[in-house]
Amino acid sequence: MATPLDETKKSTSNFQVDALGFDAQLADTDSETIASDNAALAALGYKQEFKRALAPLGVFAFSFSLAGIFPSIATVLIFALPYGGPVAMVWGWATAVTFIFCIGLALAELASSAPTSGGLYYWTWDLASPRWRKLLSWIVGYTNCIGLVAGFASVEWGLAVQIMAAVTIGTDSSFVPTTAQTFALYVALLVVHGFLSSLATSAIALLQTIYVAVNTLLPLAVVVAMPIATPKEFKNTAAYAFGAFTTCTGWPNEFAFVLSFLAPLYVISGFESSIHMSEEAHNARTAVPWAIVCTVGISSFIGWVVNIVFAFCMGTDLDSIIDNPIGQPTATIFFNSFGRNGTLALWSLVAFAQFMVGANGLTVASRQMFAFARDRGLPLSGLIYRMNKRTQTPVNAVWASAFVSFLLGLLAFAGPTAYSAIFTIALAGQYTAFIIPMTSRFLGGKKWVPGPFTLGKFGLPVTVIAVTWMTFSLVILAFPARPAPTAESMNYMVVVYCGWLTLCLVYYYFPVYGGARWFNGPQKTLEEVDAVGIGHEST
């Protein structure tokens, strides 16, 4: 297997790189490499429409910035604290990320073989049995779309809540936002991110310099400053931080620990973003898979360290953290450690980092929308599949993604339980879209031809572990926060997600106008392409 260092040296030896390498202007002598990328895309049937402005390091930066490890932990800490306290935060995290890393490896191997913006549904079409590939590709395309858009919506809502939490702290809890006020802020954020994601790829690439710096320095600052600033009454012993198990959910301890996996599942997600940016990446067959693997590995380690620091510095009264009027457990922990002014300063950086996650999230969702519309899989595909001539970005797809996120945001008015389904739908859609092409690779009857990144003989066992873990995760996603739930506390993920799948299938099988009549998988946008793809050989 080629190392990322070797491939990066090779592909960037003739680059003139600005900042951290995110905006790279190709030298004349490097034209062969970019031509190779375009040829690989042409072999898949697509013409080059994006500008390849992401250098290999920039591809990783985009993926790592979208993970937004610290703001993501800040958003979903509530999914770990009640389900085991310190043990859930430290050991629940370590357990889950071990299996998530297998997902990253299996996905990276697929991405190296055939890098395209539509990745997951394209691979499904290419690898699945001819009898089932049309339906399966349709399902993957739609679940990937809803997973990415719902993920972006959950980031935006989390950001709106974080900003409102800062206002609450700044006013000494005299201001408590209403749902309508939070939703209005949510809509404003959608608009701002819509404009950012409509920028040229070169501009988006430059922004990654700031994004990756903040997402690296912020957790480092917290890890260093928090043990120093936390008052003695909130400092915990090693025995408590690594061994105390506290649950306030009503579930048996063992099952509560299992439910704590939801926090790392939510945080270590979105790492497939580099796949959807592959048509804007240089040396995509190597840069994209290594971006996935490095994002999962580095984010998992940083997140584990942050959780350990929290476990040492949050005190032992978990109920006061969970039920505090601030409305945000991480903000409450900061308030106890840094005081009002210190929390406001630090929380502003957390919100800024979350803002950057949202910008990249909408960009990725729009690339999937664009790719699926290019293959005529969406309603109004002709309108969505349009490239802005000035920016060379799919502006219509950006605003289509933002509009669907707006519609999802309306669930907030149905109550917090209904809106929490958006978080679970994002992950359920993502994992469904992962499982199908991974299994199709081994069950579809095609001979696999790997790319530069390959697991060799370990490909099958790693994929089995990844698929088994994701299937298990989909099950626990459906459980309510507490046993014997009421209508208000019920987990509606199954209802909302199954409703979405039902709509997709109805649209597919609808008489005369359904997708079964006209959807034919990936569409060639080149007049002449190589008859044999790079992802498999026919048997």
Side-chain angles (χ1 to χ4, degrees), residues 4-17 24-31 33 55-56 282-283:
L5 181 60
D6 293 337
E7 291 294 339
T8 300
K9 285 180 177 178
K10 178 181 177 182
S11 63
T12 60
S13 60
N14 295 313
F15 267 72
Q16 296 172 351
V17 182
Q25 299 298 324
L26 288 172
D28 292 339
T29 55
D30 203 46
S31 59
T33 305
H282 178 69
N283 202 13

Side-chain angles (χ1 to χ4, degrees), residues 251 255 259 262 474-482 491 493-494:
W251 288 110
F255 191 67
L259 291 179
L262 293 176
L474 288 173
V475 173
I476 65 174
L477 280 172
F479 276 85
R482 298 175 183 274
N491 183 344
M493 186 278 285
V494 173

Side-chain angles (χ1 to χ4, degrees), residues 152-305:
F152 166 65
S154 64
V155 168
E156 294 291 82
W157 187 261
L159 175 57
V161 170
Q162 288 174 359
I163 294 173
M164 288 302 188
V167 177
T168 300
I169 294 172
T171 59
D172 294 323
S173 299
S174 63
F175 171 79
V176 178
T178 64
T179 299
Q181 290 169 329
T182 304
F183 181 77
L185 178 58
Y186 170 83
V187 173
L189 292 170
L190 289 179
V191 173
V192 173
H193 280 140
F195 284 109
L196 278 177
S197 295
S198 298
L199 296 173
T201 302
S202 56
I204 293 173
L206 272 176
L207 290 173
Q208 304 312 308
T209 308
I210 303 172
Y211 294 179
V212 76
V214 172
N215 278 290
T216 302
L217 296 176
L218 178 58
L220 178 61
V222 171
V223 167
V224 172
M226 202 165 184
I228 298 173
T230 301
K232 288 185 178 180
E233 61 266 27
F234 291 109
K235 288 185 176 180
N236 298 321
T237 64
Y240 181 86
F242 290 109
F245 189 94
T246 304
T247 178
C248 53
T249 64
W251 288 110
N253 288 352
E254 296 80 6
F255 191 67
F257 179 76
V258 169
L259 291 179
S260 75
F261 295 161
L262 293 176
L265 288 177
Y266 290 137
V267 174
I268 312 299
S269 61
F271 47 82
E272 89 282 10
S273 60
S274 56
I275 295 170
H276 302 291
M277 302 299 293
S278 60
E279 294 180 30
E280 297 161 77
H282 178 69
N283 202 13
R285 298 184 72 193
T286 297
V288 170
W290 278 110
I292 295 171
V293 172
C294 292
T295 295
V296 176
I298 295 172
S299 297
S300 297
F301 176 74
I302 292 176
W304 189 57
V305 173

Side-chain angles (χ1 to χ4, degrees), residues 31 42 54 70 117 128 145 156-157 174 200 206 229 245 247 285 287 296 300 303 325 385 428 457 467 500 503 505 537:
S31 59
L54 285 171
F70 194 84
S117 295
C145 283
E156 294 291 82
W157 187 261
S174 63
L206 272 176
F245 189 94
T247 178
R285 298 184 72 193
V296 176
S300 297
Y385 172 48
K457 64 181 180 180
V467 170
W500 171 259
L503 286 175
L505 292 175
E537 292 177 354

